[in-house]
CSV table of all heavy atoms in Angstrom, one decimal:
chain,number,residue,atom,x,y,z
U,128,MET,N,58.9,125.2,-117.5
U,128,MET,CA,57.6,124.8,-118.1
U,128,MET,C,56.5,124.8,-117.1
U,128,MET,O,56.6,124.1,-116.1
U,128,MET,CB,57.7,123.4,-118.7
U,128,MET,CG,58.6,123.3,-119.9
U,128,MET,SD,58.7,121.6,-120.6
U,128,MET,CE,59.6,120.8,-119.3
U,129,PRO,N,55.4,125.5,-117.3
U,129,PRO,CA,54.4,125.6,-116.3
U,129,PRO,C,53.5,124.3,-116.4
U,129,PRO,O,53.3,123.7,-117.4
U,129,PRO,CB,53.5,126.7,-116.8
U,129,PRO,CG,53.8,126.8,-118.3
U,129,PRO,CD,55.2,126.4,-118.5
U,130,PRO,N,53.1,123.8,-115.2
U,130,PRO,CA,52.2,122.7,-115.2
U,130,PRO,C,50.9,123.0,-115.8
U,130,PRO,O,50.4,124.1,-115.6
U,130,PRO,CB,52.2,122.3,-113.7
U,130,PRO,CG,52.5,123.5,-113.0
U,130,PRO,CD,53.4,124.3,-113.9
U,131,VAL,N,50.3,122.0,-116.4
U,131,VAL,CA,48.9,122.3,-117.0
U,131,VAL,C,47.9,121.8,-116.0
U,131,VAL,O,48.0,120.7,-115.4
U,131,VAL,CB,48.8,121.5,-118.3
U,131,VAL,CG1,47.4,121.7,-118.9
U,131,VAL,CG2,49.8,121.9,-119.3
U,132,LEU,N,46.9,122.6,-115.7
U,132,LEU,CA,45.8,122.3,-114.8
U,132,LEU,C,44.5,122.3,-115.6
U,132,LEU,O,44.4,122.9,-116.6
U,132,LEU,CB,45.7,123.4,-113.7
U,132,LEU,CG,47.0,123.9,-113.0
U,132,LEU,CD1,46.6,125.0,-112.0
U,132,LEU,CD2,47.6,122.7,-112.3
U,133,ILE,N,43.6,121.5,-115.0
U,133,ILE,CA,42.2,121.6,-115.5
U,133,ILE,C,41.3,121.9,-114.3
U,133,ILE,O,41.7,121.6,-113.2
U,133,ILE,CB,41.7,120.4,-116.3
U,133,ILE,CG1,41.7,119.2,-115.4
U,133,ILE,CG2,42.6,120.2,-117.5
U,133,ILE,CD1,40.8,118.0,-116.0
U,134,SER,N,40.1,122.4,-114.6
U,134,SER,CA,39.1,122.6,-113.6
U,134,SER,C,38.3,121.3,-113.4
U,134,SER,O,37.7,120.8,-114.4
U,134,SER,CB,38.2,123.8,-114.0
U,134,SER,OG,37.3,124.0,-113.0
U,135,CYS,N,38.3,120.7,-112.2
U,135,CYS,CA,37.6,119.5,-112.0
U,135,CYS,C,36.1,119.8,-112.2
U,135,CYS,O,35.6,120.7,-111.5
U,135,CYS,CB,37.9,119.0,-110.6
U,135,CYS,SG,36.8,117.6,-110.1
U,136,PRO,N,35.4,119.1,-113.0
U,136,PRO,CA,33.9,119.3,-113.2
U,136,PRO,C,33.1,119.0,-112.0
U,136,PRO,O,31.9,119.4,-111.9
U,136,PRO,CB,33.6,118.5,-114.4
U,136,PRO,CG,34.6,117.4,-114.5
U,136,PRO,CD,35.8,118.0,-113.9
U,137,THR,N,33.6,118.2,-111.1
U,137,THR,CA,32.9,117.8,-109.9
U,137,THR,C,33.1,118.8,-108.8
U,137,THR,O,32.1,119.2,-108.1
U,137,THR,CB,33.3,116.4,-109.4
U,137,THR,OG1,33.1,115.5,-110.5
U,137,THR,CG2,32.5,116.0,-108.2
U,138,THR,N,34.3,119.2,-108.5
U,138,THR,CA,34.6,120.1,-107.4
U,138,THR,C,34.8,121.5,-107.8
U,138,THR,O,34.7,122.4,-107.0
U,138,THR,CB,35.8,119.6,-106.6
U,138,THR,OG1,37.0,119.8,-107.4
U,138,THR,CG2,35.7,118.2,-106.2
U,139,GLY,N,35.1,121.7,-109.1
U,139,GLY,CA,35.4,123.1,-109.5
U,139,GLY,C,36.8,123.6,-109.2
U,139,GLY,O,37.2,124.7,-109.6
U,140,ASN,N,37.6,122.7,-108.5
U,140,ASN,CA,38.9,123.1,-108.2
U,140,ASN,C,39.9,122.8,-109.3
U,140,ASN,O,39.7,121.8,-110.1
U,140,ASN,CB,39.4,122.3,-106.9
U,140,ASN,CG,38.6,122.8,-105.7
U,140,ASN,OD1,38.2,123.9,-105.6
U,140,ASN,ND2,38.4,121.9,-104.8
U,141,LEU,N,41.0,123.5,-109.4
U,141,LEU,CA,42.0,123.2,-110.4
U,141,LEU,C,42.8,122.1,-109.9
U,141,LEU,O,43.2,122.0,-108.8
U,141,LEU,CB,42.9,124.5,-110.6
U,141,LEU,CG,42.2,125.7,-111.3
U,141,LEU,CD1,43.2,126.8,-111.3
U,141,LEU,CD2,41.8,125.3,-112.7
U,142,VAL,N,43.0,121.1,-110.8
U,142,VAL,CA,43.8,120.0,-110.5
U,142,VAL,C,44.9,119.8,-111.6
U,142,VAL,O,44.7,120.1,-112.7
U,142,VAL,CB,43.0,118.7,-110.5
U,142,VAL,CG1,42.0,118.8,-109.3
U,142,VAL,CG2,42.3,118.4,-111.8
U,143,PRO,N,46.1,119.4,-111.1
U,143,PRO,CA,47.2,119.2,-112.1
U,143,PRO,C,47.0,118.0,-113.0
U,143,PRO,O,46.5,116.9,-112.5
U,143,PRO,CB,48.4,119.0,-111.2
U,143,PRO,CG,47.9,118.5,-109.9
U,143,PRO,CD,46.5,119.0,-109.8
U,144,THR,N,47.3,118.1,-114.2
U,144,THR,CA,47.1,117.0,-115.2
U,144,THR,C,48.4,116.1,-115.3
U,144,THR,O,48.3,115.1,-115.8
U,144,THR,CB,46.9,117.6,-116.6
U,144,THR,OG1,48.0,118.3,-117.0
U,144,THR,CG2,45.6,118.4,-116.6
U,145,GLY,N,49.5,116.6,-114.7
U,145,GLY,CA,50.7,115.9,-114.9
U,145,GLY,C,51.4,116.2,-116.2
U,145,GLY,O,52.5,115.7,-116.4
U,146,VAL,N,50.8,117.1,-117.0
U,146,VAL,CA,51.4,117.5,-118.3
U,146,VAL,C,52.1,118.8,-118.1
U,146,VAL,O,51.6,119.7,-117.4
U,146,VAL,CB,50.3,117.6,-119.3
U,146,VAL,CG1,50.9,118.1,-120.6
U,146,VAL,CG2,49.6,116.2,-119.6
U,147,ASN,N,53.3,118.9,-118.7
U,147,ASN,CA,54.0,120.2,-118.7
U,147,ASN,C,54.2,120.6,-120.2
U,147,ASN,O,54.7,119.8,-120.9
U,147,ASN,CB,55.3,120.1,-118.0
U,147,ASN,CG,55.1,119.9,-116.5
U,147,ASN,OD1,54.9,120.9,-115.8
U,147,ASN,ND2,55.3,118.7,-116.0
U,148,ILE,N,53.9,121.8,-120.5
U,148,ILE,CA,54.1,122.2,-121.9
U,148,ILE,C,54.8,123.6,-121.9
U,148,ILE,O,54.7,124.3,-120.9
U,148,ILE,CB,52.8,122.3,-122.7
U,148,ILE,CG1,51.9,123.3,-122.0
U,148,ILE,CG2,52.2,121.0,-122.9
U,148,ILE,CD1,50.7,123.6,-122.9
U,149,VAL,N,55.5,123.8,-122.9
U,149,VAL,CA,56.2,125.1,-123.1
U,149,VAL,C,55.1,126.2,-123.6
U,149,VAL,O,55.0,127.3,-123.0
U,149,VAL,CB,57.3,125.1,-124.1
U,149,VAL,CG1,57.9,126.5,-124.3
U,149,VAL,CG2,58.4,124.1,-123.6
U,150,ASN,N,54.3,125.8,-124.5
U,150,ASN,CA,53.2,126.6,-124.9
U,150,ASN,C,52.1,125.8,-125.5
U,150,ASN,O,52.3,124.6,-125.8
U,150,ASN,CB,53.7,127.7,-125.9
U,150,ASN,CG,54.1,127.1,-127.2
U,150,ASN,OD1,53.3,126.5,-127.9
U,150,ASN,ND2,55.4,127.3,-127.5
U,151,ARG,N,50.9,126.4,-125.5
U,151,ARG,CA,49.7,125.7,-125.8
U,151,ARG,C,49.8,125.1,-127.2
U,151,ARG,O,49.1,124.1,-127.5
U,151,ARG,CB,48.6,126.6,-125.7
U,151,ARG,CG,47.2,126.0,-125.6
U,151,ARG,CD,46.1,127.0,-125.5
U,151,ARG,NE,44.8,126.4,-125.7
U,151,ARG,CZ,44.4,125.9,-126.8
U,151,ARG,NH1,45.1,126.0,-127.9
U,151,ARG,NH2,43.2,125.3,-126.9
U,152,ASN,N,50.5,125.7,-128.1
U,152,ASN,CA,50.6,125.2,-129.5
U,152,ASN,C,51.2,123.8,-129.6
U,152,ASN,O,51.1,123.2,-130.6
U,152,ASN,CB,51.3,126.2,-130.4
U,152,ASN,CG,50.6,127.5,-130.5
U,152,ASN,OD1,49.3,127.5,-130.4
U,152,ASN,ND2,51.3,128.6,-130.7
U,153,GLU,N,51.9,123.4,-128.5
U,153,GLU,CA,52.5,122.0,-128.6
U,153,GLU,C,51.4,121.0,-128.5
U,153,GLU,O,51.7,119.8,-128.8
U,153,GLU,CB,53.5,121.8,-127.4
U,153,GLU,CG,54.7,122.7,-127.6
U,153,GLU,CD,55.7,122.3,-126.6
U,153,GLU,OE1,55.6,121.3,-125.9
U,153,GLU,OE2,56.7,123.1,-126.5
U,154,MET,N,50.2,121.3,-128.1
U,154,MET,CA,49.1,120.4,-128.0
U,154,MET,C,48.2,120.5,-129.1
U,154,MET,O,47.7,121.6,-129.5
U,154,MET,CB,48.4,120.6,-126.7
U,154,MET,CG,49.3,120.6,-125.5
U,154,MET,SD,48.4,121.1,-123.9
U,154,MET,CE,47.5,119.6,-123.7
U,155,GLY,N,47.9,119.4,-129.8
U,155,GLY,CA,47.0,119.4,-130.9
U,155,GLY,C,45.6,119.8,-130.5
U,155,GLY,O,45.2,119.5,-129.4
U,156,ASP,N,44.9,120.5,-131.3
U,156,ASP,CA,43.6,121.0,-131.0
U,156,ASP,C,42.6,119.9,-130.7
U,156,ASP,O,41.6,120.0,-130.0
U,156,ASP,CB,43.0,121.9,-132.1
U,156,ASP,CG,43.6,123.3,-132.0
U,156,ASP,OD1,44.2,123.6,-130.9
U,156,ASP,OD2,43.6,124.0,-133.0
U,157,ASP,N,42.8,118.7,-131.3
U,157,ASP,CA,41.9,117.6,-131.2
U,157,ASP,C,42.4,116.6,-130.2
U,157,ASP,O,41.9,115.5,-130.2
U,157,ASP,CB,41.5,117.0,-132.5
U,157,ASP,CG,42.8,116.5,-133.2
U,157,ASP,OD1,43.9,116.7,-132.7
U,157,ASP,OD2,42.6,115.9,-134.3
U,158,SER,N,43.4,116.9,-129.4
U,158,SER,CA,43.9,116.0,-128.4
U,158,SER,C,42.9,115.7,-127.4
U,158,SER,O,42.2,116.6,-127.0
U,158,SER,CB,45.2,116.6,-127.7
U,158,SER,OG,46.2,116.9,-128.6
U,159,ARG,N,42.8,114.4,-127.0
U,159,ARG,CA,41.9,114.1,-125.9
U,159,ARG,C,42.7,113.3,-124.9
U,159,ARG,O,43.4,112.4,-125.2
U,159,ARG,CB,40.7,113.2,-126.4
U,159,ARG,CG,39.7,114.0,-127.1
U,159,ARG,CD,38.4,113.3,-127.4
U,159,ARG,NE,37.4,114.2,-127.9
U,159,ARG,CZ,36.7,115.0,-127.1
U,159,ARG,NH1,36.8,115.0,-125.8
U,159,ARG,NH2,35.8,115.8,-127.6
U,160,LEU,N,42.7,113.8,-123.7
U,160,LEU,CA,43.6,113.3,-122.7
U,160,LEU,C,42.8,112.9,-121.5
U,160,LEU,O,41.7,113.5,-121.2
U,160,LEU,CB,44.6,114.3,-122.3
U,160,LEU,CG,45.5,114.8,-123.5
U,160,LEU,CD1,46.0,116.2,-123.3
U,160,LEU,CD2,46.7,113.8,-123.6
U,161,LEU,N,43.2,112.0,-120.7
U,161,LEU,CA,42.5,111.5,-119.6
U,161,LEU,C,43.4,111.6,-118.3
U,161,LEU,O,44.6,111.3,-118.4
U,161,LEU,CB,42.2,110.0,-119.8
U,161,LEU,CG,41.0,109.4,-119.0
U,161,LEU,CD1,39.7,110.0,-119.4
U,161,LEU,CD2,41.0,107.9,-119.3
U,162,ILE,N,42.8,112.1,-117.3
U,162,ILE,CA,43.5,112.1,-116.0
U,162,ILE,C,42.7,111.4,-114.9
U,162,ILE,O,41.5,111.4,-115.0
U,162,ILE,CB,43.8,113.6,-115.5
U,162,ILE,CG1,42.6,114.3,-115.2
U,162,ILE,CG2,44.7,114.3,-116.6
U,162,ILE,CD1,42.9,115.5,-114.3
U,163,ALA,N,43.4,110.8,-114.0
U,163,ALA,CA,42.8,110.3,-112.8
U,163,ALA,C,42.8,111.5,-111.8
U,163,ALA,O,43.8,111.9,-111.3
U,163,ALA,CB,43.6,109.1,-112.3
U,164,CYS,N,41.6,112.0,-111.6
U,164,CYS,CA,41.5,113.3,-110.8
U,164,CYS,C,41.8,113.1,-109.3
U,164,CYS,O,41.2,112.2,-108.7
U,164,CYS,CB,40.1,113.8,-111.0
U,164,CYS,SG,39.8,115.4,-110.1
U,165,PRO,N,42.8,113.8,-108.8
U,165,PRO,CA,43.0,113.7,-107.4
U,165,PRO,C,42.0,114.4,-106.5
U,165,PRO,O,41.9,114.2,-105.3
U,165,PRO,CB,44.4,114.4,-107.2
U,165,PRO,CG,44.5,115.4,-108.3
U,165,PRO,CD,43.7,114.8,-109.5
U,166,GLU,N,41.1,115.2,-107.1
U,166,GLU,CA,40.1,115.9,-106.3
U,166,GLU,C,38.9,115.0,-106.0
U,166,GLU,O,38.4,115.0,-104.9
U,166,GLU,CB,39.6,117.1,-107.1
U,166,GLU,CG,40.5,118.4,-107.0
U,166,GLU,CD,40.4,119.0,-105.6
U,166,GLU,OE1,39.4,119.0,-105.0
U,166,GLU,OE2,41.5,119.6,-105.2
U,167,CYS,N,38.4,114.3,-107.0
U,167,CYS,CA,37.2,113.6,-106.8
U,167,CYS,C,37.4,112.1,-107.1
U,167,CYS,O,36.5,111.3,-106.9
U,167,CYS,CB,36.1,114.1,-107.7
U,167,CYS,SG,36.4,113.8,-109.5
U,168,GLY,N,38.6,111.7,-107.6
U,168,GLY,CA,38.9,110.3,-107.7
U,168,GLY,C,38.3,109.7,-109.0
U,168,GLY,O,38.5,108.5,-109.3
U,169,ARG,N,37.7,110.5,-109.8
U,169,ARG,CA,37.2,110.0,-111.1
U,169,ARG,C,38.2,110.3,-112.2
U,169,ARG,O,39.1,111.1,-112.0
U,169,ARG,CB,35.9,110.7,-111.5
U,169,ARG,CG,34.8,110.4,-110.4
U,169,ARG,CD,33.5,111.1,-110.8
U,169,ARG,NE,32.5,111.0,-109.8
U,169,ARG,CZ,31.3,111.5,-109.9
U,169,ARG,NH1,30.9,112.1,-111.0
U,169,ARG,NH2,30.4,111.3,-108.9
U,170,ASP,N,37.9,109.7,-113.4
U,170,ASP,CA,38.7,110.0,-114.6
U,170,ASP,C,38.0,111.1,-115.3
U,170,ASP,O,36.8,111.1,-115.5
U,170,ASP,CB,38.9,108.8,-115.5
U,170,ASP,CG,39.8,107.7,-114.8
U,170,ASP,OD1,40.6,108.0,-114.0
U,170,ASP,OD2,39.6,106.5,-115.3
U,171,HIS,N,38.8,112.1,-115.8
U,171,HIS,CA,38.2,113.2,-116.6
U,171,HIS,C,38.9,113.2,-117.9
U,171,HIS,O,40.1,113.2,-118.0
U,171,HIS,CB,38.4,114.5,-115.9
U,171,HIS,CG,37.7,114.7,-114.6
U,171,HIS,ND1,36.5,114.3,-114.3
U,171,HIS,CD2,38.2,115.2,-113.4
U,171,HIS,CE1,36.2,114.5,-113.1
U,171,HIS,NE2,37.2,115.0,-112.5
U,172,GLU,N,38.1,113.3,-119.0
U,172,GLU,CA,38.7,113.5,-120.3
U,172,GLU,C,38.8,115.0,-120.5
U,172,GLU,O,37.8,115.7,-120.1
U,172,GLU,CB,37.8,112.9,-121.3
U,172,GLU,CG,38.4,112.9,-122.7
U,172,GLU,CD,37.4,112.2,-123.7
U,172,GLU,OE1,36.5,112.9,-124.2
U,172,GLU,OE2,37.7,111.1,-124.1
U,173,TRP,N,39.9,115.5,-120.9
U,173,TRP,CA,40.0,116.9,-121.2
U,173,TRP,C,40.7,117.2,-122.5
U,173,TRP,O,41.4,116.3,-123.0
U,173,TRP,CB,40.8,117.6,-120.0
U,173,TRP,CG,42.2,117.1,-119.8
U,173,TRP,CD1,42.5,115.9,-119.2
U,173,TRP,CD2,43.4,117.7,-120.2
U,173,TRP,NE1,43.9,115.8,-119.2
U,173,TRP,CE2,44.4,116.9,-119.8
U,173,TRP,CE3,43.7,118.9,-120.8
U,173,TRP,CZ2,45.8,117.2,-120.0
U,173,TRP,CZ3,45.0,119.2,-121.0
U,173,TRP,CH2,46.0,118.4,-120.6
U,174,THR,N,40.5,118.3,-123.0
U,174,THR,CA,41.2,118.8,-124.2
U,174,THR,C,42.0,120.0,-123.9
U,174,THR,O,41.8,120.6,-122.9
U,174,THR,CB,40.1,119.1,-125.3
U,174,THR,OG1,39.4,120.3,-124.9
U,174,THR,CG2,39.1,117.9,-125.4
U,175,PRO,N,42.8,120.4,-124.9
U,175,PRO,CA,43.6,121.6,-124.6
U,175,PRO,C,42.8,122.8,-124.4
U,175,PRO,O,43.2,123.8,-123.7
U,175,PRO,CB,44.4,121.8,-125.9
U,175,PRO,CG,44.6,120.3,-126.4
U,175,PRO,CD,43.3,119.6,-126.0
U,176,ASP,N,41.5,122.9,-124.9
U,176,ASP,CA,40.7,124.0,-124.6
U,176,ASP,C,40.3,124.1,-123.1
U,176,ASP,O,39.9,125.2,-122.6
U,176,ASP,CB,39.4,123.9,-125.4
U,176,ASP,CG,39.5,124.3,-126.8
U,176,ASP,OD1,40.6,125.0,-127.1
U,176,ASP,OD2,38.7,124.0,-127.7
U,177,ASP,N,40.4,123.0,-122.4
U,177,ASP,CA,40.1,123.0,-121.0
U,177,ASP,C,41.3,123.4,-120.1
U,177,ASP,O,41.1,123.6,-118.9
U,177,ASP,CB,39.6,121.6,-120.5
U,177,ASP,CG,38.4,121.1,-121.3
U,177,ASP,OD1,37.5,122.0,-121.5
U,177,ASP,OD2,38.3,119.9,-121.6
U,178,ALA,N,42.4,123.4,-120.7
U,178,ALA,CA,43.7,123.5,-119.9
U,178,ALA,C,43.9,124.9,-119.4
U,178,ALA,O,43.6,125.9,-120.1
U,178,ALA,CB,44.8,123.0,-120.8
U,179,VAL,N,44.4,125.0,-118.3
U,179,VAL,CA,44.8,126.3,-117.7
U,179,VAL,C,46.3,126.1,-117.3
U,179,VAL,O,46.7,125.1,-116.7
U,179,VAL,CB,44.0,126.5,-116.4
U,179,VAL,CG1,44.4,127.8,-115.7
U,179,VAL,CG2,42.5,126.6,-116.7
U,180,LEU,N,47.1,127.1,-117.7
U,180,LEU,CA,48.5,127.1,-117.3
U,180,LEU,C,48.6,127.6,-115.9
U,180,LEU,O,48.1,128.7,-115.6
U,180,LEU,CB,49.4,127.8,-118.2
U,180,LEU,CG,49.4,127.3,-119.7
U,180,LEU,CD1,50.4,128.1,-120.5
U,180,LEU,CD2,49.8,125.8,-119.7
U,181,ALA,N,49.3,126.9,-115.0
U,181,ALA,CA,49.5,127.4,-113.7
U,181,ALA,C,50.3,128.7,-113.7
U,181,ALA,O,51.2,128.9,-114.5
U,181,ALA,CB,50.3,126.4,-112.9
U,182,PRO,N,49.9,129.7,-112.8
U,182,PRO,CA,50.7,130.9,-112.7
U,182,PRO,C,52.1,130.6,-112.3
U,182,PRO,O,52.3,129.7,-111.5
U,182,PRO,CB,49.9,131.7,-111.7
U,182,PRO,CG,49.1,130.7,-110.9
U,182,PRO,CD,48.8,129.6,-111.8
U,183,GLU,N,53.0,131.4,-112.7
U,183,GLU,CA,54.4,131.3,-112.3
U,183,GLU,C,54.6,131.3,-110.8
U,183,GLU,O,54.0,132.2,-110.2
U,183,GLU,CB,55.2,132.3,-113.0
U,183,GLU,CG,55.3,132.3,-114.5
U,183,GLU,CD,56.0,131.0,-115.0
U,183,GLU,OE1,56.9,130.5,-114.2
U,183,GLU,OE2,55.9,130.6,-116.1
O,930,ZN,ZN1,37.5,115.6,-110.6
């Protein structure tokens, strides 16, 4: 299962969300999730539309 990343809106770097999914369809389109960002130390709300699957 690839780890799910999002792009930190503060630094622009990809950060791991701690979520692993088999495919994107497992996440509801209206899911709202919060991560404590390791890049900037803030909390970011993200949705599946923001998610990037890590390359293998
Ligand atoms: Zn951040």
